[in-house]
Amino acid sequence: MCKSSCIAISVMCVLSSAAVLGQQPKSATRPELPPEKTIALAEQGHCPENVSALRHALVSQIAAADRKRAGVVGVRCALAVDDRDATLEFIRLLHKQFPQDPDVLFVVVHAYSDLSTRAAQDLAQTAPKSIAAHKLNAEALEMQGKWDAAQLEYEEILKKEPNARGIHFLLGRSLLSRPDAGADVSARARQEFLKELQLDPSNSAAQYILGELARRDQNWDEATSRFSQAAKLDPNFAEAYLGWGASLVSDQKYQDAIAPLRIAERLTPGNPDIHHALATALVRSGHKEEADKEFAIHRRLSSAKNATASDKPE
C-alpha cells in the first residue's frame, strides 16, 4: 500500500516539476507536423500555434515553392497575432531567399506598411501630445494635401518647444511643397531654413535647400557657399556636390567646378545630369578628350532613362 502511494506521489512530483519549469510531459507535446500540413493549417487561420513551425519550414530543406509559401503565410500569421519580431524575421528570411520575387516583394511592402501603421497607433495612444505625434500628424496631413492643417501642427510644436530641432526645416519644406503657394513662399521658407540653422548648424539638408533657392535667384556666390557647406557636413551628399559644381559652371568658374562634380560622379555614377555638368566644365576648361567621354556617358544614360520612361504604362 505504501509502495503504491509513494509511486503515485513521485509521479505527481514529476508532473508538478515539469509544470513549474514551463515544460509538459513528453506524451502531452504536440507531434511535429510535416511542413505541408503546417502551412495548410496556417492558411486555414490556425496561426498562433504555427508561427514557429512556419519559420522552421522556411529554413528547412523543402522545395523552394513550399519555402516561399511558408514565408508568405508566416508574415500574414505573425501580423495576425501581432508578433512584430516574428514578422521582421520572416521578412528578413524571405528577402534573403527570394530577393527579387514579385510576390514576395508585394507581401513585404504591405507588411512594412502594416507595421508602420501599428507603430503610429502606438505613438498616438502612448504620447498623443508629444512632438513626435505632432510631426507624424503633420506628415500625414501633407500627404493628404492638407497644407494649412499641417502648417498648424508644425506651429503648435514650435509654441510648445521653440528650440525643437528639425521643425523649422519641416515647416520650410512644407511651404515649398504647397501647390497653391503665394509669391512670397520662397522668402518665407528661406527664413525657416535660416532659423533651423541657428538651432542646428549641422543640418545639411537646410543648407542644401538654401543653395537651391539661391541658385533659382542666380545668386551664384551664395549657392556655391550653401552647397559646399552641405557637402562638407555630409560627405556622401551627391546632390550637394552636383549643386556646388553646377553653380560654379553657371558662374563660369569651370576649372573650380571639376573637383566637386568628380565627387558627385563617384557617388552617383548613374545620374546623367552630373555627367553633363562635368562634361561642360571639362570642355570649357580645355579638357576636350575627357569632356567627350562624359558627353557620351550622358547620352547613353539619358537614352536609357527615356527608354525606361516610354515603357511605363500611362
Side-chain angles (χ1 to χ4, degrees):
M1 184 72 177
C2 178
K3 185 176 181 181
S4 300
S5 299
C6 289
I7 293 172
I9 291 170
S10 298
V11 171
M12 289 178 64
C13 288
V14 170
L15 292 174
S16 178
S17 298
V20 169
L21 294 172
Q23 301 171 345
Q24 293 180 337
K26 191 170 182 179
S27 60
T29 58
R30 173 184 162 181
E32 186 174 337
L33 299 174
E36 296 80 4
K37 182 65 174 177
T38 296
I39 296 169
L41 286 170
E43 287 177 333
Q44 294 167 16
H46 299 279
C47 281
E49 65 272 32
N50 285 300
V51 170
S52 179
L54 286 168
R55 184 194 177 284
H56 179 72
L58 179 54
V59 297
S60 63
Q61 300 299 317
I62 59 176
D66 290 330
R67 282 188 280 112
K68 171 182 162 182
R69 186 175 157 212
V72 169
V73 177
V75 169
R76 292 171 179 159
C77 270
L79 287 171
V81 299
D82 199 24
D83 188 337
R84 302 180 196 183
D85 288 340
T87 302
L88 291 171
E89 179 67 1
F90 277 115
I91 289 173
R92 185 186 68 81
L93 292 170
L94 281 169
H95 257 313
K96 183 178 180 180
Q97 296 189 42
F98 310 98
Q100 297 180 348
D101 187 291
D103 296 328
V104 168
L105 293 173
F106 178 83
V107 169
V108 168
V109 167
H110 283 276
Y112 277 131
S113 177
D114 198 319
L115 289 171
S116 175
T117 299
R118 295 183 191 197
Q121 291 171 345
D122 290 345
L123 176 59
Q125 291 172 2
T126 58
K129 297 182 179 180
S130 66
I131 289 176
H134 280 294
K135 285 170 64 177
L136 197 62
N137 288 338
E139 290 174 4
L141 291 166
E142 286 179 329
M143 292 179 66
Q144 298 169 40
K146 299 178 180 179
W147 305 103
D148 290 334
Q151 184 175 335
L152 289 174
E153 287 284 352
Y154 290 130
E155 291 173 349
E156 186 65 26
I157 295 173
L158 291 171
K159 286 180 184 176
K160 293 181 176 180
E161 186 59 59
N163 294 326
R165 291 189 173 193
I167 306 305
H168 285 290
F169 172 79
L170 293 173
L171 180 53
R173 191 182 65 179
S174 180
L175 288 168
L176 291 175
S177 301
R178 295 179 67 130
D180 59 345
D184 64 337
V185 66
S186 293
R188 291 167 58 199
R190 187 174 188 277
Q191 291 304 311
E192 295 299 331
F193 295 126
L194 290 172
K195 289 177 183 176
E196 183 62 43
L197 288 173
Q198 289 177 350
L199 294 171
D200 181 12
S202 66
N203 191 317
S204 60
Q207 290 283 14
Y208 175 79
I209 297 180
L210 284 169
E212 283 291 341
L213 294 175
R215 190 154 70 100
R216 286 186 199 175
D217 295 336
Q218 298 185 3
N219 186 342
W220 307 123
D221 287 340
E222 182 181 354
T224 300
S225 175
R226 295 293 183 186
F227 286 130
S228 64
Q229 289 181 66
K232 289 170 185 174
L233 288 167
D234 182 357
N236 295 312
F237 200 162
E239 292 84 357
Y241 285 104
L242 172 57
W244 181 1
S247 297
L248 288 168
V249 168
S250 297
D251 202 20
Q252 300 182 8
K253 296 178 180 178
Y254 304 114
Q255 189 64 44
D256 293 341
I258 294 173
L261 290 171
R262 286 288 191 199
I263 298 174
E265 179 186 43
R266 176 173 55 80
L267 291 170
T268 52
N271 186 338
D273 295 335
I274 294 173
H275 293 283
H276 186 272
L278 179 56
T280 303
L282 287 167
V283 74
R284 296 295 179 87
S285 56
H287 306 283
K288 185 178 183 305
E289 186 174 344
E290 292 180 78
D292 289 342
K293 292 179 182 178
E294 293 298 330
F295 278 127
I297 296 172
H298 169 259
R299 287 192 295 270
R300 176 171 56 80
L301 291 173
S302 296
S303 297
K305 186 177 180 180
N306 292 334
T308 302
S310 63
D311 290 339
K312 292 181 180 179
E314 297 182 0

